[in-house]
């Protein structure tokens, strides 16, 4: 039983690292582009709102970066790192964040099921009826 717990803990850590990596990547993009957008040395409410928008719009930013320019031209989008409308960017990104989070949870559950299905040492712990222990 102890080996199954270690495997489940490993699955939790992998999924947690995946989620943490995505969040850190979003923060890296925002920090790289800078907090003070008008370079006056002060952080105003508008700039803080734009930081929040850029964090929320991170999945669309990634899609725009990896999509080739001819494909973007087909949709009438400019070759820009961010969408022209903040509202559009957030509206498109929120479902993408949801898909990422739900996908991460599904991956974690799949890894746990795979760890429970393969017993340590190769012996079969299940009886003749699936899920019933051997007596």
């Amino acid at each position: 039983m102890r080996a199954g717990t270690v495997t489940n803990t490993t699955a939790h850590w992998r999924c947690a690292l995946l989620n943490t990596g995505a969040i850190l990547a979003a923060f890296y993009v925002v920090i790289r582009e800078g907090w003070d957008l008008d370079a006056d040395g002060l952080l105003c409410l508008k700039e803080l709102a734009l930081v929040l928008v850029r964090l929320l719009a991170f999945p669309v930013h990634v899609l725009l970066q990896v999509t080739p320019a001819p494909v973007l031209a087909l949709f009438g989008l400019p070759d820009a790192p961010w969408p022209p409308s903040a509202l559009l960017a957030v509206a498109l990104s929120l479902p993408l964040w949801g898909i990422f989070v739900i996908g991460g949870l599904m991956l974690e559950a799949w890894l746990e099921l795979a760890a429970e299905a393969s017993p340590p040492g190769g012996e079969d712990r299940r009886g003749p009826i699936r899920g019933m222990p051997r007596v």
Side-chain angles (χ1 to χ4, degrees):
M1 284 300 220
R2 184 168 175 82
T5 305
V6 171
T7 306
N8 288 347
T9 303
T10 304
H12 288 294
W13 275 108
R14 286 179 184 162
C15 292
L17 287 175
L18 178 69
N19 289 333
T20 304
I23 293 168
L24 288 176
F27 275 108
Y28 171 75
V29 167
V30 170
I31 290 170
R32 187 188 65 188
E33 292 186 1
W35 303 92
D36 189 16
L37 299 175
D38 57 3
D40 64 354
L42 300 171
L43 214 56
C44 67
L45 190 58
K46 179 183 174 185
E47 290 169 338
L48 286 176
L50 286 174
V51 166
L52 179 63
V53 165
R54 283 190 280 161
L55 286 173
L56 289 174
F58 178 69
V60 170
H61 168 72
V62 170
L63 283 176
L64 287 174
Q65 293 296 315
V66 298
T67 305
V71 175
L72 289 175
L74 278 174
F75 292 111
L77 296 171
D79 190 18
W82 294 98
S85 167
L87 184 61
L88 176 68
V90 171
L92 292 174
S93 287
L94 288 179
L96 293 174
W97 272 116
I99 289 170
F100 176 75
V101 169
I102 291 169
L105 292 172
M106 288 176 59
L107 174 67
E108 183 178 355
W110 180 75
L111 288 173
E112 286 182 17
L113 287 174
E116 290 174 4
S118 62
E123 71 263 1
D124 189 14
R125 294 184 295 175
R126 289 183 257 166
I129 300 173
R130 184 176 180 155
M132 297 294 292
R134 283 195 190 271
V135 181

